[in-house]
Amino acid sequence: MAHSQSLSSALIITLPEPLFMPNHTVADILRGLEAKTFSSEEITKQYLDAIVAHDPRYNSYITVTATAALEQARAADQARQNGNGGLLCGVPIAHKDIFCTEGVRTSCASKMLDNFIAPYTATVVSNMANAGAITLGKTNMDEFAMGSSNETSFYGAVRNPWNTDCVPGGSSGGSAAAIAAGLAPAATGTDTGGSIRQPAALCGLTGLKPTYGRVSRYGMIAFASSLDQAGPMAKTAEDNALLLQAMSGFDPQDSTSMQLPVPDFVGGLNKDLKGLKIGVPKEYFSEGLDPSIGAAVETALDEYRKLGAEIKAISLPHTHLAVPCYYIIAPAEASANLSRFDGVRYGYRCENPKDLDDLYTRTRAEGFGAEVKRRILIGTYALSSGFYDAYYRKAQQIRRLIKQDFDAAFKEVDMIAGPTTPNPAFALGEKVSDPLTMYLEDIYTIAVNLAGLPAISLPVGFTQGKPIGLQLIGRDFDEASLLAAAHQYQQRSDWHRQVAPGSV
């Protein structure tokens, strides 16, 4: 879909009243703008006011770009009046603070980049701006996207709007919390091992990790280059389709960007699911899964049966190796990527260094947090002489086996379903001192990144008042089928319409 403003009449729903509601979706806002129920400037101002009034409770934003947002909103209103706005013309959104934005602080939630003003704009941000989206600000995250709870941020932990004593998930926890709290209708995130899907599950949202190469990585500060992928987070699959439509496309500035046409994600949402084959890996329902999450996933699969899908048991035999494989490859790549932060070129620099060695060592010791240092050390060790073959090369061989598991499964089924996380949102501070336990929270999501596949998490229930997520995994570059499957389920359920008790 290029620059059309219209949405399928099959998707029309009544716009909630009053003007500002925490459960407004992107599609709701677009319809309200089309109907002139409100202007972009009006709704943008209401979101900005809500951020000022309520975000101190959640800490979901690092930087709020209020002046620029209102200027963009006025320009969007004028563009809409002239009939030349983009797909998202006038819709306010937030960006994870891992995307460079020219003239705006881009910190990656690290002391190392606390004073960094980006000199250029990431392709994801510029694509969204070209589609007419308004940037409310930059959201909090785990430092350099390393974490599963959004507790490693230099700017403090983010709180989950469903239970402010709990984590929102990570590393895109600020984006997830902002949406769940009603402080943005949608946001961008990045997913290296589950960092869109896991916080989406813990905050009751729909979050999509696209196929590696579908969305440009240019201007996205690197954690693990062969795993990182940008994607959308919002209330619904419909909103994710709109956002993915805007952010996707080939980018010559990114050597990993695939030169493929962008499908009509929005137009394909009502695709009939009759005959769809969904595989359910036995490994996803083993020891460690909260029984209430397993039950909610089974209930959701029953709905897919009613929609005409066939549910089939499958096996992904190397699933148990995904976490140790990931925690060799990702830290190794992080060790290489983060070597550029040395106090010489940009970012934090220690005071009064005695010599060059002192500059390097104190800058990195003072500028990086504990989790980032841990992963740099693990990665450097895995790449060091005498250990490369034993660890890094072996992990890459296991990665190939994991990809082959998925390849074999997709000869039998069209997509794969299971829980997004083994547990619901856990308490702040509960797992900070036990990183291995924390790492296991990504056990169902990590393999998808190792294989480069697309996957979506959507809400399918609650346990103890906390949201539960279902994960659907698709074939390479088949995001359209995942979005359609999620949308069809959401037409028969209202989990995605539930409002967090702590929201605006």
Side-chain angles (χ1 to χ4, degrees), residues 37-124:
T37 307
F38 47 75
S39 68
S40 177
E41 184 177 2
E42 287 173 326
I43 196 136
T44 298
K45 188 176 187 308
Q46 292 212 15
Y47 274 108
L48 292 169
D49 289 346
I51 293 167
V52 171
H54 300 283
D55 196 45
R57 185 179 182 189
Y58 308 111
N59 197 31
S60 66
Y61 281 85
I62 291 174
T63 302
V64 176
T65 53
T67 301
L70 291 172
E71 289 175 357
Q72 292 167 12
R74 285 189 283 270
D77 286 332
Q78 187 62 54
R80 184 173 288 277
Q81 185 176 330
N82 296 340
N84 58 4
L87 176 65
L88 299 176
C89 186
V91 177
I93 65 167
H95 288 293
K96 183 177 181 179
D97 200 23
I98 199 169
F99 295 102
C100 289
T101 312
E102 185 177 359
V104 179
R105 177 172 60 169
T106 302
S107 71
C108 245
S110 177
K111 180 179 180 179
M112 186 64 80
L113 289 176
D114 180 51
N115 64 355
F116 177 62
I117 306 299
Y120 66 100
T121 295
T123 298
V124 164

Side-chain angles (χ1 to χ4, degrees), residues 160 162 167-170 176 194-207 233-234 293 418-425 441 445 456-462 466-471:
N160 191 324
W162 288 95
V167 304
S195 291
I196 287 175
R197 291 160 289 153
Q198 190 243 28
L202 300 192
C203 290
L205 306 176
T206 306
M233 306 175 73
I293 292 180
T420 308
T421 63
N423 299 294
E441 291 300 310
T445 56
I456 193 169
S457 179
L458 59 150
V460 294
F462 290 88
K466 303 172 186 177
I468 295 170
L470 166 73
Q471 178 177 222

Side-chain angles (χ1 to χ4, degrees), residues 406-484:
F406 282 111
D407 291 343
F410 284 127
K411 290 178 181 177
E412 301 179 35
V413 299
D414 301 308
M415 64 182 62
I416 296 167
T420 308
T421 63
N423 299 294
F426 48 92
L428 286 158
E430 180 181 336
K431 301 184 179 184
V432 170
S433 60
D434 187 355
L436 293 180
T437 301
M438 182 85 78
Y439 296 164
L440 289 173
E441 291 300 310
D442 296 330
I443 190 168
Y444 304 129
T445 56
I446 276 174
V448 172
N449 297 78
L450 291 168
L453 298 170
I456 193 169
S457 179
L458 59 150
V460 294
F462 290 88
T463 179
Q464 303 167 4
K466 303 172 186 177
I468 295 170
L470 166 73
Q471 178 177 222
L472 300 175
I473 305 167
R475 294 187 177 97
D476 287 324
F477 299 102
D478 194 17
E479 294 88 356
S481 292
L482 296 179
L483 288 163

Side-chain angles (χ1 to χ4, degrees), residues 222-254:
F223 160 19
S225 300
S226 75
L227 301 164
D228 298 341
Q229 186 57 211
M233 306 175 73
K235 286 278 188 179
T236 68
E238 179 184 6
D239 285 0
N240 274 259
L242 286 161
L243 295 167
L244 185 63
Q245 197 81 53
M247 68 171 63
S248 296
F250 173 66
D251 180 7
Q253 298 177 106
D254 174 13

